[in-house]
Amino acid sequence: MTTSQPVLSLRGMTKRFGTVTAADAIDLDLSRGEVLALLGENGAGKTTLMNMLFGQYTPDSGSVHVWDESGTERLLPPGQPHAAIEARIGMVHQHFTLAENLSVVDNILLGTERLFHLNRNRRAARAKLEALMTHSGLHAPLDARIRDLSVGERQRVEILKALYRDVRILVLDEPTAVLTPQEADGLFVSMRSMVAQGLSVIFISHKLREVLSFSDRIAVLRHGAKVGEMATAEADTHSIIRMMIGEEHDAPERSPGKTGETALRLSGINVAPGRDTGGLLDVSLDLKAGEIVGIAGVSGNGQSALARVISGLVAPSSGSIETATASQTALTPRTALAQGIGRIPEDRHHDGIVAALSVAENLVIERLDDPEVSRAGFLKRSAMAKHAEDLSAAYDVRGPGIHARAALLSGGNIQKLILARVLETHPGVILANQPTRGLDFRAAAEVSRRLIAARDRGAGVILISEDLDEVLSLADRILVMHAGELTETASRDRSAIGQLMAGHAA
Amino acid sequence: MMDILQIFLSDSFWAASLRIATPLIFGVLGALLCERSGVLNLGIEGIFVVGAMMGWLTAYLTGSLWLGVIFAALSGGLFGLFHAVLTVPLGLSQHVSGLGITMFATALMSFSYRTIFPQVSTPPRIEPFRALDVPLLSDLPFLGPVLFQQTAMTWLALLLVALLWWIMDRTALGVAIKAVGDNPDAVNAQGLSVIRLRMGAVVAGSALMALGGAFLTMSAFDAFFFGMVNGRGWICIALVIFASWQPGKALLGALLFGMFDALQVRLQTEAGALIPGQVFLMVPYVLSIVALIIAARKADYPRALLQPWFKGQR
């Protein structure tokens, strides 16, 4: 139900950080009952723009206009989150802003009650919330603590939190990143009904499929500027991507490869669940050389435990691990490396690099005792520098130079550094855990291409990803992880795999 | 063996336990409030000294004990404000700032004492709080001496436990403080000020800590000595973990420590000939460490404890 009645208008929003212009004179309009999708690569300025709308950042220039119910135009004072909340603008952040030690109802009421009151009237609040849940179709257990909820439930709490304040404009920042396809569909159905009642939505997503099915209009940002806008009805994947990256996007092509001997075999692996991670229940996996095995699933179902077992960071309580050269009950980081397991960790900033060391040092950090790198405990600085120059060029690692601290690289370049370090040694097994998460199209495509190339060279690749589209496009075989169990599926159908991800037998 | 049983049955033992626990109750509540908001306050040991000195000094100069209590809380709050400014808006290391406050406060109080009383051989004394003799109730067997012959400050401590529990559990303010110690982004996104909430909690918490010090000079003793706080602040930091940041359990923890300490004094006199007294002096600390090890495994740390928060930054 799109009307021409405006609710929000951003005019000439500009924000500079040092010499970088993160947002450059962006105009954006939103009508009542409209879903506007905001698209762009990482660093295109989407988050900066939304942070300005919410008063988290004060814009260098530009203004935010809002229209209230009666159609009266008002200017939002810059740099004040309070003003945005009062103008009934709500935001569901990509990273949940929930206090995990509090109940659902406390999280929703937070900030809506007077602080210095010795009592609270929660009956009225609860009644309003119950009505809201029925009305929106978004349900959450009100008295449960956030820490006991699934991510899907947390997401609903985030949205209810905004709706409770009677928002008229809702910003959703990558709302489906952590949901199963079914949960995502349910979310869109609920949002659709809210939109039909006059809610306006700004929707940020990387998933073009969702954008095409859910939005009314699409605005594309690139390098901090708005480069295009179109009605969703007139858009298709190709035209959007061309607008986003400014050129034709060539998705990596997967052709069936030639599989060989077993590269890694896990048999009956059990790991007890940890405080923040799921465990593993009798997981077996047979990885052949020359294939990519994709492991799909919503994060937190044991993927981290599996990755840690293969990386040698955790010893399983039972089971065995067999590589091309040895069989054992547990790997250590050292034996994992020695047996040719290359690791691309999930948290690339934290586990993938040592931020305080230079690019050159990070490139050899897994083989410091290699004679090419050191002799008698002394590093060969010039050989390392030459090596780093060569690898940086080959893998297109861009940054302030090989002697700069790795912390100064962008996320995409850190990932290229890790790829260079891992692939250079031609490992027989490559463990890629969320290798493209948070990367833009170009960087993600580059990572995918490298993984396929490694497979074609004869490596066995384990690809753990929350992005089902990525698994579908890269993997030769697909396994689904749920509640610590690994199930192989022959199906390449999204909804069938989605059922498995949600724990329903296919 | 019989002797130990007799200790546990005597009302004087339980009265002493509660008396020894009182300064700890104030301290634990203060530390709990600070940490619930996400700020560790290692200034506690120094703030105890501030409370002890300022409370006693005010009472000595004005003759009013309650004015002393108020001044102790105010000066404790002032040092808390110092810690809050350094750690909340400026985001400096909470450990470094807290330890700095402890050293600074301890030294400043000693210096002030020496300056104000340049030539005293025996410390000047005040007339401390006397036991509240509640008519009828204090004549009850057992309960009378244990509960109803304590000073007003012990009652204040117990009252504050209930008040803090009510605030943390039943008011919007308590919810906001718990939220800011768990996820400040959540608080900010809901339009509340992370900075104000945290600074308020640290100042109020520090005022509570100072009351623990004031109890020492104005209720337990009647004068100010150097070194009289003697690690009580640090004990409170440990007790908060034992209490898993809950006021009710904080009371329990403080009482437990008070009990161990009261027990140790009595065991010393009972068995002093056989075992050196120093062994008994260790008892409350050893038992506290054991209790802490058991409780701390399940401790539910505020997730944002020690983490500074800056506006507009993820």
Side-chain angles (χ1 to χ4, degrees):
Chain A
M1 191 196 75
T2 310
T3 63
S4 52
Q5 189 189 337
V7 288
L8 173 74
S9 174
L10 305 178
R11 290 273 150 258
M13 301 297 280
T14 304
K15 179 75 185 172
R16 281 178 286 271
F17 295 107
T19 57
V20 182
T21 305
D24 188 6
I26 299 175
D27 295 336
L28 212 60
D29 295 289
L30 188 66
S31 304
R32 188 177 136 84
E34 183 184 36
V35 179
L36 170 69
L38 196 55
L39 283 172
E41 299 185 85
N42 294 50
K46 296 168 301 203
T47 310
T48 306
L49 186 62
M50 290 303 115
N51 278 335
M52 285 193 285
L53 169 59
F54 274 90
Q56 308 277 26
Y57 296 157
T58 310
D60 293 326
S61 64
S63 54
V64 179
H65 307 252
V66 286
W67 283 263
D68 64 18
E69 230 99 79
S70 60
T72 322
E73 184 180 345
R74 209 155 63 79
L75 206 61
L76 221 55
Q80 291 177 23
H82 222 84
I85 291 172
E86 271 160 24
R88 292 164 60 193
I89 303 173
M91 177 150 182
V92 175
H93 294 267
Q94 188 183 353
H95 308 278
F96 298 149
T97 53
L98 298 170
E100 294 187 10
N101 59 348
L102 299 181
S103 69
V104 169
V105 72
D106 279 344
N107 265 284
I108 293 173
L109 297 189
L110 183 65
T112 64
E113 301 168 294
R114 305 213 353 232
L115 282 186
F116 296 97
H117 247 229
L118 270 182
N119 229 325
R120 327 165 60 186
N121 178 10
R122 299 180 45 173
R123 200 165 302 152
R126 287 187 82 101
K128 180 177 172 185
L129 258 176
E130 304 273 1
L132 193 62
M133 290 200 292
T134 333
H135 197 59
S136 65
L138 297 162
H139 289 273
L142 288 184
D143 292 308
R145 286 193 187 207
I146 297 294
R147 72 161 80 109
D148 299 323
L149 300 189
S150 70
V151 273
E153 287 172 313
R154 291 182 195 202
Q155 176 104 56
R156 290 198 283 276
V157 175
E158 276 282 355
I159 298 170
L160 283 170
K161 205 165 83 172
L163 296 179
Y164 181 78
R165 295 198 177 212
D166 301 317
V167 292
R168 301 169 58 230
I169 301 163
L170 184 61
V171 180
L172 298 171
D173 190 358
E174 302 210 26
T176 62
V178 292
L179 303 185
T180 64
Q182 278 79 6
E183 283 176 321
D185 290 343
L187 174 67
F188 288 130
V189 170
S190 300
M191 292 320 298
R192 263 289 156 213
S193 81
M194 299 301 292
V195 167
Q197 291 158 36
L199 181 72
S200 307
V201 175
I202 296 178
F203 171 57
I204 300 174
S205 177
H206 282 301
K207 299 182 182 169
L208 297 183
R209 210 175 47 83
E210 290 173 355
V211 167
L212 287 169
S213 68
F214 179 53
S215 69
D216 300 313
R217 201 154 49 89
I218 296 172
V220 179
L221 302 185
R222 174 157 32 107
H223 301 316
K226 189 168 84 174
V227 292
E229 209 174 321
M230 59 191 135
T232 308
E234 294 157 19
D236 61 52
T237 317
H238 272 278
S239 59
I240 298 173
I241 292 176
R242 202 176 313 123
M243 223 183 248
M244 283 171 72
I245 65 174
E247 61 195 54
E248 193 73 45
H249 169 66
D250 46 339
E253 283 294 314
R254 187 179 61 89
S255 53
K258 275 203 275 310
T259 56
E261 302 279 293
T262 291
L264 176 73
R265 178 180 290 138
L266 304 180
S267 321
I269 298 282
N270 281 289
V271 172
R275 185 177 160 140
D276 301 316
T277 57
L280 296 178
L281 285 174
D282 195 23
V283 165
S284 297
L285 173 68
D286 192 3
L287 176 73
K288 303 271 189 248
E291 71 169 350
I292 297 181
V293 169
I295 295 180
V298 178
S299 74
N301 273 295
Q303 292 94 327
S304 299
L306 179 66
R308 282 184 207 169
V309 166
I310 298 172
S311 313
L313 295 174
V314 79
S317 54
S318 64
S320 71
I321 305 163
E322 204 178 312
T323 64
T325 50
S327 175
Q328 57 250 302
T329 57
L331 288 163
T332 66
R334 188 175 283 266
T335 53
L337 279 174
Q339 293 174 36
I341 298 176
R343 304 162 304 170
I344 301 171
E346 177 176 13
D347 185 346
R348 64 184 72 105
H349 297 273
H350 191 264
D351 300 331
I353 57 165
V354 180
L357 296 187
S358 72
V359 172
E361 287 162 336
N362 269 289
L363 280 168
V364 295
I365 200 160
E366 288 189 328
R367 48 190 190 99
L368 286 174
D369 48 4
D370 189 320
E372 281 177 25
V373 178
S374 68
R375 181 192 296 142
F378 291 96
L379 291 174
K380 298 179 171 176
R381 310 283 318 179
S382 60
M384 273 169 60
K386 169 84 170 55
H387 169 256
E389 293 288 2
D390 292 350
L391 271 188
S392 296
Y395 285 81
D396 192 29
V397 181
R398 292 182 207 181
I402 56 159
H403 294 299
R405 286 182 300 129
L408 298 175
L409 299 183
S410 70
N413 282 300
I414 288 176
Q415 194 69 329
K416 288 185 207 161
L417 185 163
I418 296 168
L419 273 174
R421 180 177 69 206
V422 168
L423 297 179
E424 182 208 14
T425 57
H426 296 297
V429 176
I430 295 168
L431 169 71
N433 192 357
Q434 315 286 3
T436 65
R437 176 151 74 191
L439 299 185
D440 59 45
F441 275 108
R442 215 187 307 252
E446 175 65 19
V447 171
S448 306
R449 234 189 312 276
R450 295 277 183 190
L451 290 179
I452 292 176
R455 179 203 69 169
D456 292 342
R457 177 182 56 68
V461 179
I462 295 175
L463 169 71
I464 299 176
S465 177
E466 281 175 69
D467 183 351
L468 189 49
D469 291 320
E470 178 178 51
V471 173
L472 285 169
S473 75
L474 288 180
D476 300 303
R477 275 197 296 142
I478 296 175
L479 288 84
V480 176
M481 188 131 223
H482 179 262
E485 296 188 70
L486 204 51
T487 319
E488 175 142 18
T489 170
S491 166
R492 297 186 91 80
D493 172 45
R494 295 185 55 87
S495 71
I497 295 175
Q499 288 287 329
L500 286 173
M501 283 164 71
H504 307 295
Chain B
M1 213 47 223
M2 272 314 289
D3 297 341
I4 294 182
L5 198 65
Q6 266 168 12
I7 291 174
F8 279 105
L9 288 175
S10 74
D11 47 19
S12 70
F13 167 73
W14 291 102
S17 298
L18 185 55
R19 196 168 54 241
I20 297 168
T22 301
L24 301 177
I25 296 174
F26 284 117
V28 183
L29 291 182
L32 184 150
L33 186 54
C34 294
E35 290 179 28
R36 269 290 190 182
S37 80
V39 182
L40 176 70
N41 189 352
L42 291 183
I44 185 169
E45 184 79 7
I47 291 172
F48 257 75
V49 180
V50 170
M53 166 73 181
M54 294 307 287
W56 167 82
L57 185 65
T58 310
Y60 179 74
L61 294 178
T62 65
S64 164
L65 287 168
W66 284 109
L67 212 56
V69 170
I70 291 168
F71 251 79
L74 286 179
S75 21
L78 196 66
F79 278 86
L81 182 65
F82 190 17
H83 183 59
V85 168
L86 293 178
T87 54
V88 181
L90 299 180
L92 300 181
S93 158
Q94 296 177 7
H95 289 111
V96 174
S97 165
L99 291 173
I101 299 261
T102 283
M103 289 190 268
F104 171 58
T106 309
L108 184 67
M109 289 304 119
S110 304
F111 176 74
S112 311
Y113 183 84
R114 281 275 182 246
T115 317
I116 298 169
F117 304 99
Q119 270 139 7
V120 287
S121 49
T122 51
R125 298 186 181 280
I126 58 167
E127 188 62 39
F129 278 105
R130 269 204 239 125
L132 285 181
D133 228 341
V134 188
L136 295 178
L137 287 177
S138 56
D139 296 332
L140 287 174
F142 193 74
L143 274 185
V146 174
L147 274 178
F148 299 103
Q149 290 177 19
Q150 301 284 357
T151 70
M153 286 199 80
T154 298
W155 279 95
L156 180 64
L158 295 175
L159 207 68
L160 283 170
V161 173
L163 182 68
L164 196 67
W165 170 78
W166 179 268
I167 290 176
M168 295 311 277
D169 231 55
R170 293 292 149 95
T171 71
L173 179 65
V175 167
I177 290 172
K178 284 191 277 189
V180 83
D182 186 83
N183 185 357
D185 284 329
V187 171
N188 180 57
Q190 292 286 68
L192 294 174
S193 165
V194 173
I195 304 289
R196 274 190 232 162
L197 274 169
R198 284 192 165 172
M199 289 187 68
V202 173
V203 170
S206 303
L208 287 178
M209 294 169 181
L211 290 182
F215 176 87
L216 295 177
T217 47
M218 296 164 64
S219 192
F221 304 102
D222 55 5
F224 178 80
F225 310 100
F226 297 117
M228 73 188 304
V229 173
N230 195 20
R232 283 184 177 82
W234 307 136
I235 292 289
C236 292
I237 294 292
L239 285 177
V240 183
I241 303 168
F242 173 83
S244 204
W245 293 268
Q246 291 168 25
K249 287 191 189 169
L251 173 64
L252 185 76
L255 285 176
L256 215 58
F257 188 89
M259 233 176 70
F260 293 151
D261 209 16
L263 184 66
Q264 142 319 92
V265 175
R266 281 158 181 76
L267 286 179
Q268 257 189 76
T269 48
E270 293 281 338
L274 290 169
I275 309 166
Q278 285 82 351
V279 173
F280 293 105
L281 279 174
M282 292 193 316
V283 167
Y285 298 94
V286 171
L287 289 180
S288 296
I289 290 172
V290 171
L292 194 59
I293 290 170
I294 296 166
R297 289 167 156 269
K298 290 179 291 184
D300 189 12
Y301 281 82
R303 279 194 311 151
L305 185 61
L306 295 177
Q307 288 170 11
W309 180 88
F310 300 104
K311 196 179 170 72
Q313 188 177 301
R314 278 226 159 264

